[in-house]
Structures are given as structure tokens and as C-alpha cells.
Amino acid sequence: MSNGLQKLESRLEAAISGVFARAFRSAVQPVEIAAALLRECDNNSQILSRDRRMVPNDFHIELSTSDMARLAPYDSALIEELTTHLHEHARTQGYVFPGPISIEFEGARDLPVGRFQVVGKATASVSGGASDTEVRRATAFLDVNGTRHPLHDGGLVVGRGSDADLRINDPGVSRRHAEFTTWRDGPNVRVAVTDLGSTNGMLVNGQRVTKAVVDSGAHVRIGATDITVIIGDARGGAGV
């Protein structure tokens, strides 16, 4: 066991007086989960520059229902320690998280005791200035990491910088990365996306382009972030 994992195990036992270790003596061990999270980062790192690599920050951990029941009283303490451990690992490896670390546990009936699965993905934090009312009234909008952002006449600039209309905290996204514009074509709303000279470019439905007119359901990828264009009624969607 590495020194980092040994320190994590000691911190966990100290935090909850060893109760956690006893509860999990015959099941999945916290250090095994920690090691799996580190591997998920190492195996899915994306090079940003010579000294910086982006790694997943959103982790979903499936356990057997029996292990999940044992975990439930201690999940908050474990998540806090695992988050600290991930930050320490990132500092030593030159990793960058695109947003806050999120760790979620879930029981799975098809997993035996002592087995678990970890899936991580990079999920950038997203912020925009639209109100819930504007989102509900929009006839065209962008869906980004579970949030909806309306498109209006005049264009919407997406980027990492503070001057972007829609800010995405993704290290692979330029300060002003792309602009979405809308216009009326008779009764229909049309949407176009234009690359604003970004460093890493953009993909529209998997194809690298600098400008494209897109239909509803089109996928635009900038950095490690996927944006879905929706043209139609936004009612019932999540607000920003």
C-alpha cells in the first residue's frame, strides 16, 4: 500500500474511531475505493500542456446493496476524506479538475459483497446570467452538463473567461471559445455556431469545423465539454 493510501486509512480510522474499519472488515475496504479513484484519474487524464493534465472530477461508485448498507452511516466522512486524497494526488501529478469534485455512492443488486465499480467523468462547472423565466420562455437553448441556457438574438459567447456570456470552467476551453447565433427563417428558428479562434477548436457532431448551421439535437464539443443544441419548447427543463 502506498504512503498516501496508508495516510488516508489512518485519517479515516481517526475520524470515526475505527468503527468504519470494523464495519467493513469483511466487505469492500475504503482504501480500495481510494485506489480505484486514483486509477480512474490516471487512466483518463487528458494533456492540456507539458505540465498540466485534466482528469475526471465527477465519480459514481456502485456497491453491493449489503456494502451500501454498511457504508450509509459513514458516507459523508468517507467522501470528505476521498475528496482530500484526490486533491493531494492531483497536486503531486500536475492534474487539473474542470470543476468541484463530486463523489456519489449507489447500491447495485447485481454486485456481490466486496465488489464495486467506479466511473468517472470530467464535468465542468457552468454559469450564465439567464433567469429561470428566460429559460422557460426560450425557443432555442443550450444544454450543458445538466443546465439549460437560452439563445437569443444578438449571439451568445461561450468560453472560460469572465467576459463570456456562458462561462464553462474547463481548462480546454478558451476564454472566448465559440459564439452561438440565432435568427428567424420564416416560422423557424435557426442556430449557427462559430469558432472564435480558440486554441483547441471545436467539434460539431464529431466533425472538426470552424462554423456550422446546426439542427436541434446537434452536439458541439469544446475542450472536454459537450453542448447540446435544442430548438423548441424549453418548458420543464432545469434552469441555470
Side-chain angles (χ1 to χ4, degrees), residues 48 52 54 98 160 169-174 177 198-201 222-224:
L48 298 175
R52 297 169 71 243
M54 186 171 65
R160 185 167 45 85
N169 184 31
D170 179 338
V173 172
S174 296
H177 198 113
S198 66
T199 300
N200 297 318
I222 59 174

Side-chain angles (χ1 to χ4, degrees), residues 27-28 32 62-65 67 108 110-117:
V28 63
E32 295 174 343
E62 288 189 345
L63 304 158
S64 72
T65 53
D67 286 336
D110 59 337
L111 284 176
V113 173
R115 298 290 299 275
F116 63 94
Q117 297 177 342

Side-chain angles (χ1 to χ4, degrees), residues 23-24 63-74 107:
F24 274 72
L63 304 158
S64 72
T65 53
S66 178
D67 286 336
M68 187 65 190
R70 293 187 179 94
L71 169 69
Y74 320 109

Side-chain angles (χ1 to χ4, degrees), residues 156-159 172-181 192-204 207-214 220-223:
L156 182 142
V157 174
V158 178
V173 172
S174 296
R175 295 184 61 82
R176 290 172 58 87
H177 198 113
E179 183 176 18
F180 290 82
T181 55
V193 58
T194 304
D195 187 284
L196 297 178
S198 66
T199 300
N200 297 318
M202 71 177 183
L203 301 177
V204 176
Q207 301 296 316
R208 186 169 295 276
V209 298
T210 57
K211 186 173 183 178
V213 176
V214 296
V220 179
R221 185 173 180 86
I222 59 174

